[in-house]
């Protein structure tokens, strides 16, 4: 795989430093073997998340200087609303400070005790906000996604048959939302086809259930549709995006991903007469601030309005996904398993294949994340049973469908040499993986979203 050249020039650099292995072993132990506990300056390549970690452009930084900081109805707010309506085709656009803020504002309007939300796969914070609203989250991902070694397009799809069966078992009146996550983060950044988006919408209409799109990586999803789905190769990305969102009723997104900003989020409602807008405004005022700034400064909204367009540039998306494919090609040569084919925002290494001797309740994906930091100063995270946590009703450790260690690639940040270091580190760890006899145990954990704060130690 040839490396895709960057469609930009570098104008500013930030120094990073590689600690010695001994220093890295000391740092991760001091952090209780939780990668979130590390100091950022002790990390050489930071792949913990692609959320808010991208490099903004010269146009975005210029926009920062033009931000209108009026409390209500600022020029920057109206610029953001104009961009949101233009790209998504929805009548109402609500800024919030990030994706989980959107979930906090939106989900209590649909979910409560005794209700259910169904998704192709809920990500950690989305699942948590379903549970915080008193409801329960159910995943209905395609069966292909559960087989990382199987190469299939659109592995992020909703399992339509399972979705309808689940609705009938629960009772449609008990399903508050169907959430379609594009791309499907927890399943490996895998895209959802237009055919599947439409089929999900048809089920929602049949049972009169609101279809809500988790759109954090909508641009990457649209690129995969254009590249891989029949009938879309010659359609411009903005046309594909409009069609994707035409099937939903509401969407929310963390704009820290595909809009390439360091902070920001959006809620959208297709029908401007939908009474839910009043509830969104009320919750936004209570939790985020007045609805024309939603917890964001004017300069943040200005950068976001620009970033929404930059994130849907085809040259940029071709380069971004090409970076992931470059790394994947090296892993293929080394026989290292990952969720294949590569997703939009990174690689999800199959830690269960790397450490078949370590059971899910000893967290093989967290073991690999720790080994990557010790090996090369690379910070990643567990997308597996450790992140999934315990059953909210019984407290029993849940078993994830996947045991992934996620390489979430920040946008416009790392070069080919950094990707070569990632591959070399994984190859070195694979050569000795059989020597790792046991995994990790949790010494302390909070009741929800434990992976951000839990303390662990080796068994």
């Amino acid at each position: 795989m040839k490396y895709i050249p960057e469609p930009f020039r570098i104008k500013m650099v930030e120094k990073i430093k590689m600690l010695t292995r001994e220093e890295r072993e000391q740092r991760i132990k001091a952090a209780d073997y939780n990668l979130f506990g590390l100091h950022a300056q002790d990390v050489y390549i930071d792949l913990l998340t692609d959320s808010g970690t991208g490099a903004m452009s010269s146009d975005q930084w210029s926009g920062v200087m033009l931000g209108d900081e009026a409390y209500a109805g600022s020029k920057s707010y109206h610029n953001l609303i104009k961009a949101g309506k233009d790209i998504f085709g929805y009548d109402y656009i609500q800024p919030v400070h990030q994706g989980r803020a959107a979930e906090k504002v939106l989900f209590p309007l649909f979910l409560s005790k005794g209700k259910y939300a169904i998704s192709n796969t809920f990500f950690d914070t989305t699942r948590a906000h379903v549970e915080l609203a008193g409801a329960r989250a159910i995943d209905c991902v395609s069966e292909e996604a559960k087989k990382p070694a199987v190469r299939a397009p659109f592995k992020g799809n909703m399992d339509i048959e399972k979705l309808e069966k689940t609705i009938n078992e629960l009772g449609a009146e008990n399903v508050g939302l169907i959430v379609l996550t594009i791309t499907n983060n927890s399943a490996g950044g895998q895209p959802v086809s237009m055919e599947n988006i439409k089929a999900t919408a048809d089920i929602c209409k049949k049972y009169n259930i609101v279809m809500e799109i988790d759109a954090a990586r909508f641009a990457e999803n649209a690129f995969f549709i254009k590249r891989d789905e029949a009938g879309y190769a010659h359609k411009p990305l903005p046309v594909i995006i409009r069609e994707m969102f035409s099937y939903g009723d509401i969407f929310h997104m963390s704009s820290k991903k595909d809009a390439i900003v360091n902070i920001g989020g959006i809620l959208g409602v297709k029908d401007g007469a939908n009474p839910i807008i009043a509830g969104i405004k009320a919750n936004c005022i209570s939790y985020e601030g007045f609805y024309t700034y939603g917890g964001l400064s004017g300069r943040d909204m200005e950068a976001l309005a620009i970033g929404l367009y930059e994130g849907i540039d085809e040259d940029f998306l071709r380069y971004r996904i090409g970076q992931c494919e470059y790394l994947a090609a090296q892993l293929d040569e080394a026989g290292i398993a990952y969720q294949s084919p590569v997703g939009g925002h990174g690689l999800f290494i199959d830690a269960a294949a790397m450490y078949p001797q370590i059971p899910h309740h000893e967290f093989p994906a967290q073991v690999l994340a720790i080994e990557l930091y010790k090996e090369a100063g690379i910070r990643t995270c567990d997308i597996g049973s450790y992140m999934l946590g315990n059953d909210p009703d019984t407290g029993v450790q849940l078993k994830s469908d996947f045991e992934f260690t996620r390489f979430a690639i920040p946008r416009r940040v790392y070069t080919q040499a950094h990707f070569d270091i990632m591959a070399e580190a994984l190859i070195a760890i694979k050569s000795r993986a059989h020597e790792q006899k046991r995994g990790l145990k949790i010494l302390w954990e909070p009741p929800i979203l434990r992976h951000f704060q839990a303390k662990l130690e080796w068994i």
Side-chain angles (χ1 to χ4, degrees):
M1 176 67 191
K2 184 178 179 181
Y3 188 81
I4 300 293
E6 287 81 0
F8 53 82
R9 292 179 298 197
I10 296 170
K11 187 173 279 190
M12 186 182 78
V13 298
E14 177 186 1
K15 290 196 297 183
I16 54 177
K17 180 182 178 182
M18 174 78 85
L19 302 179
T20 66
R21 183 179 181 98
E22 182 181 6
E23 288 172 327
R24 295 195 298 271
E25 288 178 348
Q26 292 170 353
R27 299 297 196 279
I28 192 62
K29 182 178 180 181
D32 296 302
Y33 299 102
N34 187 328
L35 282 298
F36 287 91
L38 290 170
H39 291 191
Q41 66 265 28
D42 294 335
V43 174
Y44 182 62
I45 299 174
D46 202 341
L47 311 179
L48 187 68
T49 180
D50 63 316
S51 179
T53 57
M56 290 206 302
S57 69
S58 55
D59 287 341
Q60 286 177 294
W61 283 112
S62 297
V64 166
M65 300 305 295
L66 296 171
D68 178 0
E69 303 303 338
Y71 183 91
S74 74
K75 180 181 178 181
S76 297
Y77 164 75
H78 288 290
N79 287 342
L80 174 57
I81 300 314
K82 182 180 178 181
K85 288 182 175 181
D86 178 41
I87 291 171
F88 302 108
Y90 278 34
D91 290 343
Y92 183 75
I93 301 293
Q94 173 65 62
V96 288
H97 87 270
Q98 63 180 39
R100 70 192 65 174
E103 293 160 2
K104 174 64 175 173
V105 166
L106 182 65
F107 284 5
L109 300 173
F110 293 94
L111 301 173
S112 57
K113 189 173 182 180
K115 293 283 188 178
Y116 296 88
I118 307 172
S119 178
N120 47 340
T121 314
F122 284 103
F123 195 58
D124 58 349
T125 54
T126 318
R127 182 181 299 277
H129 279 100
V130 170
E131 293 174 0
L132 285 169
R136 292 294 175 258
I138 298 174
D139 294 334
C140 290
V141 71
S142 69
E143 286 301 311
E144 291 90 346
K146 299 174 185 178
K147 303 168 185 174
V150 174
R151 291 182 180 271
F154 302 110
K155 289 172 77 171
N157 280 352
M158 183 81 79
D159 184 329
I160 299 299
E161 184 178 338
K162 183 178 178 181
L163 171 64
E164 186 161 21
K165 180 182 178 183
T166 303
I167 292 170
N168 286 319
E169 288 174 350
L170 299 174
E173 70 280 5
N174 297 318
V175 180
L177 278 176
I178 291 176
V179 180
L180 191 65
T181 308
I182 57 173
T183 58
N184 191 330
N185 186 2
S186 291
Q190 296 294 306
V192 180
S193 71
M194 192 74 80
E195 180 183 23
N196 190 256
I197 295 172
K198 185 178 185 301
T200 303
D202 288 343
I203 292 292
C204 290
K205 289 182 176 67
K206 179 178 179 179
Y207 292 96
N208 196 30
I209 301 170
V210 172
M211 176 166 157
E212 201 270 336
I213 299 174
D214 181 344
R217 297 176 179 87
F218 75 97
E220 293 168 1
N221 202 91
F223 182 85
F224 281 115
I225 289 173
K226 180 179 176 66
R227 193 189 72 178
D228 298 334
E229 190 165 358
Y232 289 91
H234 300 294
K235 291 189 177 182
L237 273 187
V239 172
I240 295 172
I241 290 166
R242 277 289 189 109
E243 183 180 348
M244 284 164 49
F245 283 85
S246 72
Y247 298 119
D249 300 304
I250 300 172
F251 80 87
H252 82 280
M253 68 177 290
S254 167
S255 303
K256 296 160 67 177
K257 284 85 169 174
D258 275 359
I260 328 178
V261 289
N262 305 127
I263 198 71
I266 298 175
L267 274 166
V269 182
K270 182 160 58 178
D271 180 5
N274 191 326
I276 205 68
I277 293 171
I280 289 171
K281 286 182 176 180
N283 281 354
C284 187
I285 292 170
S286 297
Y287 301 129
E288 289 287 282
F290 190 59
Y291 64 83
T292 65
Y293 74 91
L296 293 174
S297 65
R299 55 186 174 269
D300 294 326
M301 290 189 286
E302 201 72 52
L304 174 50
I306 296 166
L308 281 168
Y309 287 105
E310 292 187 356
I312 62 175
D313 178 78
E314 286 189 35
D315 289 337
F316 160 69
L317 288 164
R318 189 175 297 108
Y319 145 79
R320 172 159 177 75
I321 292 168
Q323 281 188 315
C324 298
E325 290 173 336
Y326 172 78
L327 176 57
Q330 296 189 63
L331 302 189
D332 287 338
E333 289 183 8
I336 295 173
Y338 58 91
Q339 177 66 295
S340 59
V342 294
H345 67 286
L347 265 76
F348 288 60
I349 310 304
D350 187 350
M354 182 79 78
Y355 298 109
Q357 70 275 25
I358 298 178
H360 75 278
H361 53 83
E362 294 183 13
F363 316 128
Q366 183 71 3
V367 170
L368 179 54
I370 292 166
E371 289 302 305
L372 281 159
Y373 178 71
K374 292 195 296 184
E375 178 68 27
I378 300 170
R379 177 158 65 169
T380 59
C381 76
D382 171 295
I383 305 288
S385 297
Y386 171 59
M387 185 189 78
L388 186 60
N390 302 318
D391 185 289
D393 298 313
T394 67
V396 174
Q397 170 67 54
L398 295 169
K399 186 179 188 301
S400 176
D401 287 331
F402 319 102
E403 299 296 342
F404 291 143
T405 303
R406 184 182 70 172
F407 282 49
I409 309 300
R411 292 159 181 80
R412 304 189 291 209
V413 171
Y414 291 117
T415 66
Q416 181 177 359
H418 294 113
F419 281 85
D420 290 339
I421 290 172
M422 298 173 205
E424 291 164 6
L426 279 167
I427 291 167
I429 292 167
K430 182 178 185 292
S431 69
R432 61 172 187 269
H434 63 281
E435 299 172 2
Q436 187 78 39
K437 303 303 181 186
R438 299 296 299 275
L440 297 150
K441 65 179 180 180
I442 295 176
L443 297 178
W444 174 84
E445 60 183 303
I448 198 163
L449 291 172
R450 71 179 183 191
H451 57 292
F452 288 115
Q453 300 184 70
K455 301 179 188 298
L456 304 100
E457 71 173 4
W458 293 108
I459 295 172

